[in-house]
Every structure is written in C-alpha cells, then in structure tokens.
Amino acid sequence: MSKLEVNAVSKSFGDNEVLRDVSFSISDGEFVSLLGPSGSGKSTLFRIIGGIAQPSSGTVKLDSKEITGKPGSISYTPQSPSLMPWRTILNNVLLGQEITGSRDEHKALEMIERAGLKGYENSYPHELSGGMKQRVSFIRSMLSPQGLILLDEPFSALDEFTRLDMQKWLLSIWELYQRSILFVTHNIEEALFLSDRIIILSAKPASVKKEFIIPFKRPRDERILLSEEFLQWKKVIYEEMRQQDVSVDY
C-alpha cells in the first residue's frame, strides 16, 4: 500500500496552461476517483504522477518520498488493455514482475483463477473478449510491485452489463488486496459505486474544484445503485459538475 501526495502541480506547454495548482492526496489502500472533462489535462497529470513528465511547478510524493520525474514508482492501466499479442495470458500478467527481476507464477495463477480466467493461462490476447482482456491488464497491475495503481477509464469501451460486472470484480479484488487506486472516469454512477472519495477537476486549465467523501459502506452491493441515497448523491455531484461546466455521463 502507498500514500500519494500531489502538491501544487502546474503544467504549461508554452502559452497553453494545462494544469493549475493541482493538489490532492490518496491514503494507503484508498480508492479515489477523478472526474473531469476530456482534454482537461488528465493524461498530462497521469504522466507527471508516473514520473515520465516534469511539472512546470509542484511536486509528487509517494510515502513521503519525492518521485517527481522518477518513473517506475506507480503501476498504470490504460483505457485499452495494451497486452503483448505474442505472450500468453500468464506471461502477460507476469510482465511487471519480470521487469523487477521477480516471477511468482503461483500468485499469478491464483489471481487468474479469481478473475474467472482459469483455463486461459496459455491462451493469447486475441482469443479473449474485451472484458477478459481488461481483467488480464488489471491483474498485471496488481502483480506489479508498486503500491499505487492508476486506472485510466478501463471500462469505457464495455457495454453496460459487462461494465457493471467488471466494476463488481474490480471491487472484489481491491477489497482482497487493498492497493491504493486512482481511477479516472466520466461516469458519475461508476465513481460513486467504486470510490471512497471523488475528486472533481475543472475544465482546462485543470484544478481541483471539489472533493466528496462517499458514505456507502463496504463491501458494496449492486442493489445500492437503485437506492434513494445513491440517486441523491448522483444529483449532488451532477449539479456540482454542471457548475464547473464539466461534461460527464450521468
């Protein structure tokens, strides 16, 4: 587990100001969602947190150690699974461990089974559905040694029912292993169902406009999606984002 601190991060490309004084933190084992419009600088922020881009000002710390400009400190799962087509499913999920010089096939096989992919260990990515590929991609992140995982809209390309199944599966795995997660989405319902806390970014130049602590108990049950309390929270966040002129899926 890891604690992330983003402190007054700003980024400009010439006269184009993308991020302005962005500050937030993620505690050990916390699940935090980031809601913001397309083109608001979210990808730039992720690159800065990941250490592959330098901010114009500000710092990023992990467990009180500065990681600004230092890659390899976090694990990143993009929108597309980004699996290597020439590697089997087992070898794909072990990639992060191989890079750091370790290889725990027993744990990998255990997580593959928990993901409902038992029997696909020696299959290749083209033999899997979109949802199955996303599970493989997330397992790879979970098996990597970094304590913080960035998830960049991993379910955006899935249909509604597959997306809900993936959300429930993600929560079951996260509750078991308690990794720190920063999850980016445009979907208010998804953010509410998954998160301990929701951070709202403004339009570009992005800054943190509001944070909400989500009160729903864990473990989460999908029946909460139909509750009056859940609906009221959706309305509150929707109205806040309308004030910030942020486009989201309601």
Side-chain angles (χ1 to χ4, degrees):
M1 294 187 290
S2 297
K3 180 178 180 180
L4 175 73
E5 297 171 81
V6 177
N7 302 308
V9 166
S10 297
K11 181 66 176 180
S12 297
F13 298 94
D15 294 331
N16 181 21
E17 187 181 16
V18 179
L19 304 173
R20 179 183 292 171
D21 201 27
V22 175
S23 297
F24 63 88
S25 64
I26 299 176
S27 300
D28 282 346
E30 189 178 21
F31 197 125
V32 176
S33 284
L34 198 64
L35 282 172
S38 298
S40 64
K42 171 263 301 173
S43 295
T44 300
L45 179 59
F46 265 32
R47 288 196 295 271
I48 290 172
I49 294 173
I52 58 176
Q54 285 277 5
S56 301
S57 60
T59 61
V60 180
K61 293 183 178 181
L62 194 64
D63 296 331
S64 300
K65 296 179 181 179
E66 187 166 344
I67 60 169
T68 313
K70 298 177 181 178
S73 299
I74 58 95
S75 180
Y76 174 59
T77 300
Q79 292 182 30
S80 59
S82 302
L83 303 178
M84 295 184 174
W86 61 89
R87 294 177 69 108
T88 65
I89 299 311
L90 177 60
N91 286 328
N92 262 288
V93 302
L94 287 168
L95 181 62
Q97 290 189 342
E98 289 178 5
I99 292 173
T100 59
S102 62
R103 185 180 171 94
D104 188 345
E105 286 196 17
H106 177 75
K107 187 174 182 180
L109 291 169
E110 179 184 275
M111 291 195 68
I112 287 172
E113 183 173 357
R114 286 184 179 276
L117 297 173
K118 185 176 175 60
Y120 289 93
E121 299 89 346
N122 297 313
S123 299
Y124 291 87
H126 73 272
E127 301 177 82
L128 275 59
S129 68
M132 294 165 75
K133 290 177 184 176
Q134 280 293 5
R135 294 185 187 207
V136 174
S137 184
F138 183 68
I139 292 169
R140 181 176 60 192
S141 293
M142 290 293 292
L143 287 171
S144 297
Q146 297 90 345
L148 174 70
I149 301 174
L150 305 185
L151 300 177
D152 187 0
E153 296 189 84
F155 309 143
S156 60
L158 304 178
D159 65 79
E160 183 176 354
F161 293 105
T162 304
R163 185 171 183 152
L164 179 58
D165 285 341
M166 288 297 297
Q167 289 167 3
K168 292 189 293 184
W169 174 80
L170 172 60
L171 282 182
S172 69
I173 297 297
W174 172 78
E175 286 164 358
L176 184 64
Y177 292 97
Q178 288 290 296
R179 302 286 285 277
S180 304
I181 290 180
L182 178 59
F183 187 96
V184 169
T185 179
H186 289 93
N187 189 289
I188 294 174
E189 186 172 287
E190 181 170 68
L192 277 171
F193 183 56
L194 294 174
S195 308
D196 296 311
R197 188 158 45 94
I198 294 174
I199 297 171
I200 295 177
L201 289 181
S202 69
K204 192 172 70 173
S207 60
V208 173
K209 289 301 182 183
K210 195 82 171 183
E211 293 190 18
F212 293 95
I213 297 173
I214 307 306
F216 306 129
K217 295 180 180 179
R218 297 191 184 275
R220 302 265 165 93
D221 188 292
E222 65 181 288
R223 288 174 293 184
I224 198 175
L225 298 170
L226 303 176
S227 70
E228 183 64 27
E229 185 182 11
F230 193 90
L231 179 59
Q232 290 303 316
W233 269 97
K234 285 175 66 175
K235 289 179 179 178
V236 168
I237 293 177
Y238 178 72
E239 290 301 323
E240 176 64 33
M241 298 188 77
R242 281 189 62 186
Q243 294 175 21
Q244 305 301 340
D245 194 27
V246 175
S247 176
V248 291
D249 297 327
Y250 185 65

